[in-house]
Amino acid sequence: MHELPFDTVLIANRGEIAVRIIKTLRKLGLRSAIVHHDIDARTLAVSMADAAIAIDGPTPIAAYLDIPQIIAAARQASAGALHPGYGFLSENAKFARAVTSAGITFIGPSPENIELMGDKIRARNFVQQHGFPVVPCAIEEDDPTTFVRRARAMGSPLLVKPSVSGGGKGMQIVRDVGVLEDAIAQARSEAQRYFGDGRLYVERHIENPRHIEVQVLGDAFGNVAHLFERECSIQRRFQKVIEEAPASGLSSELRQRICDTAVGIARAANYHSAGTVEFLLGGGEFHFLEMNTRLQVEHPVTEMITGVDLVAEQIHIAAGRPLGLAQSDVVPSGHAIEARLCAEAPERGYAPTTGKVLVLDYPGGEGIRIDSGLSRGQKITTAFDPLLAKIIVHAPSRIETAQKAHRAMRDLVLLGCTTNASFLARILADDGFLHGQIHTGYLEEHPHIAAGDPRADLSAFLAAGALLTGPVRESADAVSELHAALGSWRN
Amino acid sequence: MNHCFEVDGVEYQLWLSRCREDYRLCLHDRVIAPVAFSHRGDGCGVVIIAGESQPVRFAIDGDTVHVHINGETRSLHYRDPLRTLARSKQETSQAVARAPMPGVVIVTRVSPGQAVSVGTPLMTIESMKLETIIRSPQDGIVDRIHFKQGESFEQDAVLVTLLEERT
């Protein structure tokens, strides 16, 4: 028996994260219910859940953002708790309030936590007021009339950022202060279009920093613990591609300082639930970037090195339980790398791809974990983001993990839709990556990794393709016996 | 006969012919022999190319063959030369079978007025010392055969004109 105050949890999400949450619910003896748009009706997550409630909207994404429909679905499923996953409504304070007001436990932080950290300007000011390091910046709302002048005075390079953002939308690096005003206008328009909030701030851009983030857990009893750091420096257009834990080559002293800072920020915010404090590390110094008040896509690498089930911890904290661990219980072991398998073609500028899963074979073996919501026959559309699955690999050392992850990516077979599997394999075999010489601009600096080898020998593929294509084989077979015997040449 | 696959936006012309029990593959600047494929069931097989065996996972979806070999995946889109030509050259009420390459008519297999279906062999041609069957690009009635046995033609020449079958 689970002895929790609820026995059914509604998952307000889809795909791989929904599947991953269901696995923990089963482990804890809880029932799972899931909402789904019709486009997802035949997906793995829906088939695995104990109950599935259809939701609708003008677009599939709109359905998953429809708060009244989701609350109604939770009631219909008699769900006592709701897990938002990541993305969609996971960092929406209004949603967290609506869930709580409906008498349902929100598996996540308080609406106040979300409001404080969800607004980047507010979060930044809060962190700075508490004496933690932030990147120098100019904030528009401090004084709109002097905003551009104050930003320009910081000197280039600059980074224009929206106050509310995600996935790198609306962010712009400005190397020439002469074009700052144009960049601000463009960023404002993008931020308004994507997030309905055009407020901006301008940060001093740290060239080629490393992205280091710390996983924290806080409960209602004042306990806050960190589960060490992750490195997410391999990015393209501000989106993470490969993540790992721990970060490579950090001194134990710097690691301790970063983790202590994250705990300090979470404690200052009176943070309850799982959260991630992100930092930029450059020139030996680290600065607060933002805090994510949800489960992160890359949480499995932390689970692999610590053995802690973060979703189970989220559930226990939401149920009013104290943390299931003390800081001294968190002992990292080995190294973990996660590769994000996406429906996209890095060789064609990361163009999104579509198709149907005709063959799906994941690599297996000790230390390999697959978080996936895919099943054979499933259509891959452009209705959602391109993330298909995560391949997470654990081994004693970073180099062994990278080699094992590289083999795993080469062994993975997904036919029917172009993916970035080969690109991920190329990163994992790249010398610079293997030596830990990585930073957030690494992929831009090494465009050949995305481009692949345009002169690759395709003869084996063409031979297989020709022999598997009826008209090609038939036209060859149609050649007379005599010609065949003569090697088809007439003399 | 020349065939075309499009892979990642690039077109590859190739030619497959018999080579004893196996096949010979002519890519534009290379001849690879022997090539063979043995099925192992459920989308698995082995491609033998120039004596080297490589395990293959594959899936066929219409005119596309998805192939995974040695950690790499490619989707090969077959561009049927007849259909491509028929599409681009077709007149409103007529379809034509064009020559995918210059050559000579070895034998005609149909007569004017004869009803044919998609894929019906219309004639056998010889080109580059290899024989190729020219098949009907659509259902219809043979209207005209433009070249007799032994006559030569240039690439893209109209070999056979078809009329749409009247219902």
Side-chain angles (χ1 to χ4, degrees):
Chain A
M1 257 323 267
H2 54 73
E3 295 176 358
L4 288 164
F6 41 78
D7 60 17
T8 301
V9 176
L10 182 91
I11 299 160
N13 216 302
R14 61 178 301 279
E16 69 86 15
I17 195 62
V19 170
R20 187 263 166 274
I21 293 164
I22 290 170
K23 286 178 180 174
T24 289
L25 295 176
R26 283 182 179 178
K27 193 170 75 179
L28 298 178
L30 293 163
R31 286 183 75 253
S32 57
I34 191 166
V35 290
H36 68 89
H37 182 271
D38 185 54
I39 203 170
D40 284 332
R42 283 155 295 282
T43 55
L44 183 63
V46 172
S47 67
M48 281 176 70
D50 297 309
I53 297 103
I55 53 173
D56 200 6
T59 64
I61 285 180
Y64 290 97
L65 294 172
D66 188 325
I67 296 174
Q69 257 195 109
I70 290 168
I71 302 286
R75 287 206 174 102
Q76 193 184 323
S78 305
L82 181 147
H83 198 303
Y86 56 67
F88 294 129
L89 294 166
S90 61
E91 292 185 287
N92 184 311
K94 186 179 157 203
F95 178 58
R97 272 203 184 89
V99 171
T100 308
S101 301
I104 300 162
T105 301
F106 182 75
I107 300 171
S110 66
E112 293 74 25
N113 279 162
I114 297 172
E115 273 165 348
L116 174 63
M117 289 301 176
D119 184 301
K120 291 191 176 165
I121 294 174
R122 202 176 152 196
R124 199 189 166 287
N125 289 342
F126 174 82
V127 167
Q128 190 170 28
Q129 282 158 13
H130 282 79
F132 297 110
V134 297
V135 182
C137 87
I139 301 171
E140 187 170 27
E141 56 198 23
D142 290 352
D143 182 359
T145 55
T146 62
F147 174 51
V148 175
R149 188 168 50 77
R150 284 182 292 117
R152 199 176 278 139
M154 292 194 298
S156 62
L158 296 167
L159 183 60
V160 182
K161 296 171 83 172
S163 181
V164 180
S165 77
K169 300 267 191 314
M171 288 168 68
Q172 286 215 47
I173 297 169
V174 177
R175 300 192 189 285
D176 171 9
V177 291
V179 299
L180 179 63
E181 281 184 82
D182 290 345
I184 285 172
Q186 194 182 331
R188 190 188 314 287
S189 144
E190 267 186 43
Q192 190 65 50
R193 202 166 58 245
Y194 282 114
F195 311 109
D197 185 337
R199 290 174 307 134
L200 302 172
Y201 64 112
V202 176
E203 261 180 9
R204 182 68 199 268
H205 178 59
I206 299 168
E207 286 286 10
N208 295 336
R210 292 171 67 183
H211 175 116
I212 309 287
E213 61 185 35
V214 179
Q215 178 69 58
V216 294
L217 287 170
D219 66 17
F221 303 90
N223 302 305
V224 181
H226 70 77
L227 280 79
F228 292 92
E229 82 286 359
R230 297 186 283 258
E231 176 153 17
C232 314
S233 296
I234 297 291
Q235 302 181 3
R236 54 101 175 162
R237 296 176 198 157
F238 302 108
Q239 291 183 344
K240 297 161 186 171
V241 175
I242 284 191
E243 304 100 336
E244 56 186 309
S248 64
L250 281 195
S251 69
S252 52
E253 180 270 332
L254 182 56
R255 171 170 293 122
Q256 194 64 54
R257 275 172 52 213
I258 292 176
C259 291
D260 287 349
T261 301
V263 167
I265 290 168
R267 200 181 291 284
N270 191 27
Y271 191 82
H272 303 165
S273 191
T276 297
V277 187
E278 297 188 336
F279 298 96
L280 286 181
L281 174 66
E285 281 308 310
F286 62 92
H287 300 88
F288 172 79
L289 182 63
E290 63 184 67
M291 182 169 184
N292 292 315
T293 57
R294 54 170 163 81
L295 194 66
Q296 297 269 95
V297 174
E298 57 274 21
H299 77 277
V301 290
T302 298
E303 295 186 325
M304 292 290 258
I305 65 161
T306 62
V308 175
D309 181 334
L310 286 165
V311 173
E313 289 299 323
Q314 282 186 302
I315 291 167
H316 285 125
I317 293 165
R321 301 283 166 80
L323 283 188
L325 51 90
Q327 188 62 66
S328 57
D329 298 328
V330 186
V331 181
S333 160
H335 200 93
I337 291 177
E338 170 180 287
R340 297 189 186 194
L341 184 74
C342 291
E344 63 184 25
E347 301 80 3
R348 298 200 301 273
Y350 302 99
T353 57
T354 58
K356 186 178 177 182
V357 182
L358 303 171
V359 172
L360 181 62
D361 256 358
Y362 285 122
E366 194 189 340
I368 295 179
R369 165 178 163 178
I370 306 294
D371 281 18
S372 165
L374 280 186
S375 51
R376 199 164 170 167
Q378 186 175 323
K379 281 185 179 160
I380 295 165
T381 69
T382 53
F384 304 103
D385 78 43
L387 182 67
L388 299 175
K390 301 175 323 203
I391 289 77
I392 310 108
V393 174
H394 182 253
S397 70
R398 184 175 187 269
I399 195 82
E400 287 170 286
T401 309
Q403 288 165 345
K404 195 175 186 178
H406 177 259
R407 280 195 303 274
M409 293 315 305
R410 305 273 298 174
D411 289 346
L412 187 152
V413 182
L414 193 162
L415 301 181
C417 178
T418 298
T419 74
N420 64 342
S422 294
F423 164 67
L424 296 169
R426 290 195 293 272
I427 296 170
L428 292 161
D430 175 75
D431 268 354
F433 176 81
L434 293 174
H435 287 96
Q437 298 159 349
I438 51 177
H439 52 78
T440 57
Y442 192 80
L443 290 177
E444 280 79 12
E445 213 172 72
H446 299 81
H448 65 276
I449 299 176
D453 180 4
R455 293 159 305 158
D457 179 12
L458 297 186
S459 54
F461 292 93
L462 291 163
L467 290 159
L468 286 163
T469 302
V472 183
R473 208 181 45 249
E474 285 162 22
S475 71
D477 291 340
V479 174
S480 70
E481 288 286 335
L482 178 63
H483 280 185
L486 295 169
S488 304
W489 288 92
R490 289 183 167 188
N491 295 306
Chain B
M1 172 175 170
N2 244 333
H3 290 275
C4 177
F5 283 100
E6 182 256 303
V7 187
D8 296 335
V10 178
E11 290 201 336
Y12 295 84
Q13 302 286 331
L14 59 83
W15 190 296
L16 191 72
S17 60
R18 293 298 314 203
C19 170
R20 297 180 184 84
E21 300 87 52
D22 299 325
Y23 295 87
R24 167 191 288 113
L25 180 71
C26 301
L27 296 173
H28 80 288
D29 58 346
R30 286 197 297 164
V31 177
I32 305 165
V35 296
F37 191 91
S38 60
H39 288 263
R40 299 286 159 90
D42 195 29
C44 297
V46 173
V47 67
I48 295 147
I49 179 158
E52 195 181 322
S53 299
Q54 301 201 60
V56 175
R57 300 296 308 275
F58 69 91
I60 300 170
D61 185 19
D63 282 344
T64 301
V65 187
H66 304 278
V67 183
H68 180 93
I69 299 174
N70 193 25
E72 295 283 336
T73 301
R74 293 288 186 280
S75 296
L76 293 82
H77 307 283
Y78 178 61
R79 302 285 180 235
D80 184 316
L82 297 182
R83 245 183 292 171
T84 305
L85 287 167
R87 250 201 314 273
S88 60
K89 310 286 184 182
Q90 200 172 6
E91 293 168 15
T92 51
S93 64
Q94 288 191 318
V96 293
R98 289 178 183 267
M101 63 214 70
V104 176
V105 178
I106 300 288
V107 62
T108 54
R109 300 181 170 224
V110 290
S111 310
Q114 184 179 331
V116 294
S117 308
V118 173
T120 301
L122 302 174
M123 61 170 57
T124 302
I125 61 168
E126 183 198 51
S127 180
M128 301 284 287
K129 301 190 179 181
L130 284 168
E131 288 186 3
T132 302
I133 295 171
I134 302 297
R135 294 174 185 274
S136 177
Q138 65 171 61
D139 296 356
I141 293 160
V142 177
D143 181 39
R144 198 171 153 209
I145 298 165
H146 297 265
F147 296 91
K148 297 189 187 76
Q149 191 171 324
E151 287 187 330
S152 58
F153 48 78
E154 292 301 317
Q155 184 168 351
D156 280 346
V158 176
L159 301 175
V160 179
T161 305
L162 303 170
L163 289 173
E164 280 186 356
E165 202 163 4
R166 291 174 194 85
T167 51

